Amino acid sequence: MLFEPRSGRLAAWGNALLAGLVSPDEAVLSIVGEDAVHRMEGLPGEAGPVGLTLALRRLRALGVTGLRVALPAPGHPLGLSGPPEFNARALDAEEAVIAVGAAVGLVPEVYEAGPAGDVHVSVTWHCLPVREAPPADVPSLGEAERELAEALREATVVLTRLDVAGSGPVAEAALSAYRARAEAGREVLAPGYPPRAVRVLALAQRVDLLVSLAYENGPGGAVAASEMAARAEALRPVERVARRALVAAYNAAVEPG
C-alpha cells in the first residue's frame, strides 16, 4: 500500500485552500479521504472540537498562510521545531502538521471502531503551540530527488543481497498497482504544487513501498535473527531518505524548491 500520511493530505489540500485554488468542500473531502470524519480540538477561540471546514477558516483567521508536514521517527525529528512537548506528541503519532504564520501545530489522534471489514475511522487533530524555528532536516526538492534516485538503487541491491522478495510476485503485484494508480491520473498532490513535487512524492512512495514489502513479506532467505537485524540496519537509511523526500514534496507549496 502506498504511504499517504494524513498530515500530507491536510497540508496539501490546506495549502490549496489557503491559496484559493480549491473550495472548502473540495479540500475537506480530500483531507478526510476514506475516514469517516475529521475534527480539530484546542483551536484558539474555540471551546471544543470543531469540524474541518470551520477549523481551516479559523486557522486562516489566526494568520496561517501555509502548512508544513513533519514525519518524525525515533532519533530523527524530521520537520519538527519544538517545543519538546509538541515533538513528543508528534513522535508518538509519527506525523504532524506545522503552521506557517502562526505558532501552532497539529497532531492527529486516530480512533477505530467496528468489526474487521467495516471499521469506522475518525480523526481528531490536536492543536498545540509550537516554536517558530526552522524545521529539522528537511531537504530541498532537488536534494530529495537526487537522494531518492540513489536510495532506489540501494534498496534494490539490499533486497537482492538479503534474499528478500523485493522483486518477486508480491512486490511486482504491488508495483503494478502503483503504476496503475499513477496511470489512472489520481491526483497525489493538491492543485498548486509544482510538477517536480509530484514526481518526488511518487518516487518516495515507491521507495517506501519497496521497504515496506521487505518487512512485510516474511524473512525470505534471512532466517537467522542476526540476518533479520542486518536487513533492518541496511534498509533504515533508505527508509529515512524516503521520509525526507515525502516531507520535501508535501512542503513544496511553502518552501523554495
Side-chain angles (χ1 to χ4, degrees):
M1 179 178 181
L2 294 177
F3 181 47
E4 188 178 36
R6 290 179 173 89
S7 56
R9 294 204 306 266
L10 176 59
W13 288 93
N15 284 329
L17 177 63
L18 290 168
L21 299 174
V22 298
S23 69
D25 287 346
E26 185 179 1
V28 169
L29 284 173
S30 298
I31 293 167
V32 173
E34 296 181 359
D35 298 333
V37 64
H38 284 216
R39 295 184 178 88
M40 203 171 290
E41 70 89 24
L43 276 167
E46 298 295 337
V50 299
L52 273 188
T53 301
L54 176 57
L56 292 169
R57 189 161 64 242
R58 174 64 68 183
L59 288 173
R60 188 197 294 272
L62 291 172
V64 173
T65 58
L67 299 169
R68 294 189 179 103
V69 169
L71 296 176
H76 190 205
L78 176 62
L80 298 177
S81 58
E85 296 81 5
F86 180 83
N87 287 4
R89 290 284 292 268
L91 181 58
D92 186 57
E94 299 183 340
E95 61 177 315
V97 172
I98 315 295
V100 178
V104 296
L106 307 164
V107 179
E109 186 171 2
V110 180
Y111 304 89
E112 296 184 353
D118 189 26
V119 177
H120 178 282
V121 179
S122 61
V123 178
T124 297
W125 292 90
H126 298 279
C127 184
L128 304 162
V130 299
R131 182 182 298 142
E132 293 186 281
D137 198 35
V138 177
S140 69
L141 273 177
E143 291 169 336
E145 193 167 31
R146 289 191 295 273
E147 291 176 359
L148 276 171
E150 180 61 28
L152 190 55
R153 289 191 292 270
E154 289 179 3
T156 303
V157 171
V158 167
L159 294 176
T160 302
R161 176 167 56 83
L162 296 179
D163 195 16
V164 177
S167 58
V170 175
E172 281 302 313
L175 289 173
S176 294
Y178 162 84
R179 286 189 288 267
R181 172 174 160 173
E183 289 165 4
R186 184 186 183 282
E187 196 162 25
V188 295
L189 277 174
Y193 277 82
R196 191 176 204 177
V198 176
R199 185 169 68 245
V200 167
L201 178 63
L203 185 55
Q205 288 178 324
R206 183 179 180 185
V207 172
D208 185 80
L209 175 62
L210 288 172
V211 172
S212 298
L213 288 169
Y215 288 122
E216 293 171 4
N217 287 347
V223 293
S226 61
E227 291 173 321
M228 289 295 290
R231 174 193 299 185
E233 183 66 23
L235 289 173
R236 192 171 296 118
V238 178
E239 184 179 22
R240 184 183 180 112
V241 166
R243 285 191 299 108
R244 276 167 47 85
L246 286 167
V247 170
Y250 283 120
N251 292 1
V254 294
E255 300 283 8

